[in-house]
Amino acid sequence: MEEFKLQHRHNLHRLHCSVKNYDWGLPGRLSEVARLHALNSASQFDPEKPYAELWMGTHDSGPSFLVSNGVTLKAWISENPDVLGDKVLQKWGSDLPFLFKVLSVAKALSIQAHPDKELARTLHKLQPVMYKDGNHKPEMALAMTDFEALCGFITVKELKAVLHDVPEIVELVGVENANLVLQTSDQDSEEKVKAVLQAVFTHLMSASRERVTDAVNQLKSRLLKESEVRQLTDKEQLVLRLEKQYPSDIGVIAAFFLNHVKLNPGEALFLGANEPHAYLSGECVECMATSDNVVRAGLTPKHRDVQTLCSMLTYKQGSPEILRGVPLNPYVNKYTPPFEEFEIDSCILPQGETVVFPAVPGPSIFLVTVGKGTMNTGSPQEHIVTEGDILFAAAYSEISVTSSSELHLYRTGVNSKFFQAS
């Protein structure tokens, strides 16, 4: 083990990473994903084409490559599994347990949820083309700019107000279902409340295309008319925005059921398995378990699996927790979600300062987004780093970073609580 630690201490490897041009991405001229990918791959971006996600990791749908030899990071790790450290290797095998991304969001992503492990295995077995792996996908989004999302269900109290104010929902779910909600009280058991919410939401999401189109059009003309005589609520303004992006889509109405969350830069949101959500706008770094499983049901031209989605959700209610990070030192903030696979460190280093990332028993990926400096692992060889550089660090590497101009970087690695627990 000691030999391994010595042998791999100089283990900092530059990566070339993959980009995704989904249609919800920001146009190249406005997109951080486009800028970082162009710098990372020494290529040009198209100013008008959408750039949505930069993927850093080993997932087959968006692989990263070692700059030194052109081999995929996944293949290189499977040939050098000791770079992961013993505990990670024992738990997850010879692959990275996390996938790191940057997202540039111009318009809403689909209303979706990610399956837990058991459901993921079943879906992958039944529909391997649709559900590409058997893993769960808890995730965390850390805002780089102002960032908006829909996430989790509003409370029953708030939902009663919605049914009162939005006749188009009652029209779609029926008076009987609406009354189920109106008769539910805070004194009822959690199970009963969840059953009512599931019944109503499933009914809504299963409405026929014609009825949805009518309801969305009615909603739109009613809100436009009312906006002439009163200030629309935040949620009503959002719904009109969503209707422009996805006309006649059930997701426009489903948005009334979900919390509208606004993050400031430096705030993070985490999403467990089976929680409904949709990112709406802004840019973030995102980390998740290595998976690409998504069950969609609205705000999307893609395949929808409404029955699976409505049956898998937890139907937990209330606003999600916002993480603001814990300062490790004057320059580094750590964001620790309740998932073993990952955590994120955010570092802003003023010009001429040095910060040390202590050696950890698992692998890390570093992304430089602003500025210039050097990184080294105690070897004579220093790595000059600048924006767009992405580096893989082996387990047990202590990494010292010195800035020659103000430097911003993110590090993701296995959750430190996993090492404390194991």
Side-chain angles (χ1 to χ4, degrees):
M1 195 60 195
E2 285 311 309
E3 275 172 51
F4 156 68
K5 288 182 191 178
L6 292 171
Q7 166 201 342
H8 281 286
R9 194 183 297 149
H10 319 319
N11 232 331
L12 216 44
H13 296 267
R14 289 175 185 268
L15 302 176
H16 277 160
C17 296
S18 297
V19 75
K20 301 282 181 189
N21 302 95
Y22 305 138
D23 66 354
W24 50 258
L26 279 164
R29 61 196 156 75
L30 302 174
S31 164
E32 185 69 350
V33 166
R35 186 182 78 89
L36 292 171
H37 179 256
L39 291 164
N40 176 257
S41 57
S43 62
Q44 299 289 312
F45 59 77
D46 177 332
E48 298 312 319
K49 188 175 171 178
Y51 287 79
E53 298 188 350
L54 178 65
W55 287 32
M56 299 165 277
T58 54
H59 199 285
D60 295 332
S61 303
S64 297
F65 300 85
L66 268 69
V67 171
S68 57
N69 57 15
V71 171
T72 66
L73 179 59
K74 185 172 187 167
W76 181 76
I77 288 175
S78 65
E79 280 167 24
N80 302 277
D82 50 357
V83 298
L84 297 175
D86 288 352
K87 287 177 175 170
V88 172
L89 200 49
Q90 277 160 18
K91 169 86 181 184
W92 289 288
S94 57
D95 195 7
L96 280 186
F98 56 81
L99 175 60
F100 195 24
K101 295 181 179 180
V102 181
L103 269 59
S104 292
V105 182
K107 66 178 196 174
L109 281 67
S110 51
I111 291 180
Q112 57 182 256
H114 306 299
D116 58 29
K117 278 186 177 161
E118 198 180 336
L119 179 61
R121 281 196 284 268
T122 308
L123 291 172
H124 179 53
K125 201 176 276 177
L126 294 173
Q127 304 181 55
V129 175
M130 193 56 225
Y131 300 107
K132 296 185 174 62
D133 52 73
N135 199 9
H136 68 160
K137 190 186 167 188
E139 60 188 25
M140 175 167 69
L142 169 53
M144 303 170 87
T145 63
D146 290 343
F147 194 80
E148 282 183 282
L150 289 170
C151 171
F153 287 98
I154 59 176
T155 63
V156 168
K157 188 181 167 188
E158 291 169 311
L159 187 54
K160 288 179 182 180
V162 163
L163 291 174
H164 192 264
D165 296 340
V166 189
E168 296 80 6
I169 293 180
V170 180
E171 182 71 27
L172 282 177
V173 301
V175 173
E176 206 172 308
N177 275 313
N179 283 337
L180 273 180
V181 176
L182 297 173
Q183 287 151 15
T184 304
S185 83
D186 299 341
Q187 275 67 56
D188 288 327
S189 72
E190 199 181 328
E191 287 317 300
K192 184 187 166 188
V193 175
K194 283 184 180 178
V196 166
L197 193 51
Q198 178 164 1
V200 175
F201 191 67
T202 305
H203 205 94
L204 178 79
M205 298 307 283
S206 311
S208 72
R209 181 164 285 179
E210 296 72 34
R211 292 185 62 219
V212 170
T213 302
D214 286 349
V216 172
N217 289 340
Q218 266 169 15
L219 173 70
K220 178 185 172 180
S221 54
R222 178 175 66 80
L223 290 181
L224 290 174
K225 202 171 280 168
E226 289 181 18
S227 70
E228 293 168 14
V229 293
R230 68 172 175 91
Q231 174 72 35
L232 294 184
T233 66
D234 247 17
K235 185 62 82 65
E236 288 169 335
Q237 290 174 37
L238 169 64
V239 159
L240 286 177
R241 226 169 77 204
L242 294 176
E243 190 278 332
K244 273 204 180 83
Q245 296 172 4
Y246 300 96
S248 316
D249 191 300
I250 188 59
V252 174
I253 288 182
F256 280 110
F257 280 68
L258 305 175
N259 297 293
H260 182 196
V261 181
K262 296 178 177 180
L263 300 180
N264 297 311
E267 294 182 331
L269 179 67
F270 62 80
L271 303 154
N274 304 330
E275 291 295 341
H277 61 280
Y279 295 154
L280 301 174
S281 70
E283 296 185 291
C284 70
V285 290
E286 186 186 38
C287 200
M288 64 204 62
T290 302
S291 168
D292 196 24
N293 281 325
V294 182
V295 183
R296 298 180 180 85
L299 301 180
T300 179
K302 293 183 180 174
H303 173 78
R304 300 168 185 229
D305 194 343
V306 172
Q307 288 324 108
T308 302
L309 183 91
C310 292
S311 63
M312 73 192 255
L313 298 178
T314 62
Y315 294 99
K316 271 192 209 124
Q317 291 153 8
S319 291
E321 187 185 344
I322 305 288
L323 298 182
R324 293 185 173 81
V326 174
L328 298 185
N329 57 51
Y331 313 123
V332 179
N333 237 357
K334 183 178 287 294
Y335 298 81
T336 312
F339 316 120
E340 291 182 320
E341 286 88 348
F342 58 87
E343 62 183 22
I344 298 177
D345 292 335
S346 162
C347 171
I348 297 178
L349 198 57
Q351 182 171 1
E353 297 291 338
T354 295
V355 71
V356 173
F357 287 86
V360 291
S364 303
I365 288 179
F366 287 85
L367 160 71
V368 181
T369 56
V370 173
K372 193 173 178 178
T374 57
M375 282 171 94
N376 73 53
T377 53
S379 68
Q381 184 204 3
E382 269 196 337
H383 292 259
I384 292 172
V385 293
T386 179
E387 36 207 72
D389 282 347
I390 299 165
L391 300 99
F392 172 87
Y396 305 105
S397 310
E398 181 184 275
I399 290 165
S400 167
V401 183
T402 301
S403 55
S404 46
S405 68
E406 184 176 298
L407 185 73
H408 295 201
L409 65 79
Y410 295 92
R411 171 203 157 263
T412 192
V414 174
N415 198 315
S416 31
K417 287 186 175 163
F418 166 71
F419 299 118
Q420 290 154 13
S422 54

